Amino acid sequence: MARARKEVRRTPATRRRGAELEEAILRAAAEVLTESGVPALTMDEVARRAGTNKNTLYRRWPHRVALGVAAYRRLAATGTVLPDTGSLRGDTLEMLRRANSTWSSPYGEILRGLIAAAGSTPELLAELRDPAAESAHEAAWLTLLGRAVARGDAAPEALHPRVAYTPMALLRNEYVTLGVPTVPDAVLAEIVDEVFLPLVRGRSPRGSASAPQGPRQS
């Protein structure tokens, strides 16, 4: 009987494979990121928490930055509900405030840490860009502007992806040029009132603007 019990204790646990194992690894990496940030994210620590070995991690992700990006996307994978304040100004300002809040949050700190870890290596920086997520974000801004056009709050000619994404591009420029994790609310309002609203409300059909005329000859 003792021998039988001993054999039972020696029976190995069911090995996790595929999606189950990958989920355990990403969950462990996400825990490290949220608890201690990017500097603490090592393959050794993630493997220990996930109950696996480093080779398993390296077969899926070539380095810790790639693993960190995958874990970050898991953390940030939440649906975005567009604001509906009833005005283009209100909707745009709310979108900028949400982005500002995210960038200064722990999630934003993780993303900034990943960017710093990637350094100037093009391959690593490319891994930080999620084309699907970026397309969804740009589509959200285009939807917001489309609503405004339907309400008569913006000119139909303003319904263009580059125009719709202008507020977010300007906000990102503030982060880059100032090197700060948050932008004052007054600056957000300035982006909306001084740039975006005049742009979308004054935009005219291409080629319809009159060419500048020189001084009349008497």
Side-chain angles (χ1 to χ4, degrees), residues 114-178:
L114 289 171
I115 293 173
S120 58
T121 306
E123 294 79 7
L124 298 183
L125 292 174
E127 291 180 18
L128 288 170
R129 293 192 292 269
D130 183 354
E134 289 183 0
S135 296
H137 200 140
E138 291 175 4
W141 280 95
L142 197 58
T143 298
L144 184 150
L145 183 55
R147 289 179 182 174
V149 171
R151 291 194 304 262
D153 205 5
E157 292 77 21
L159 196 55
H160 187 284
R162 291 189 182 277
V163 175
Y165 205 63
T166 294
M168 195 63 216
L170 292 174
L171 178 58
R172 286 184 173 179
N173 183 68
E174 291 288 326
Y175 295 140
V176 172
T177 56
L178 298 179

Side-chain angles (χ1 to χ4, degrees), residues 64-83:
R64 74 184 194 98
V65 176
L67 174 57
V69 171
Y72 174 79
R73 289 176 181 168
R74 184 181 187 276
L75 288 170
T78 56
T80 300
V81 178
L82 291 178

Side-chain angles (χ1 to χ4, degrees), residues 207-216:
S208 66
S210 299
Q213 297 182 1
R216 292 184 178 181

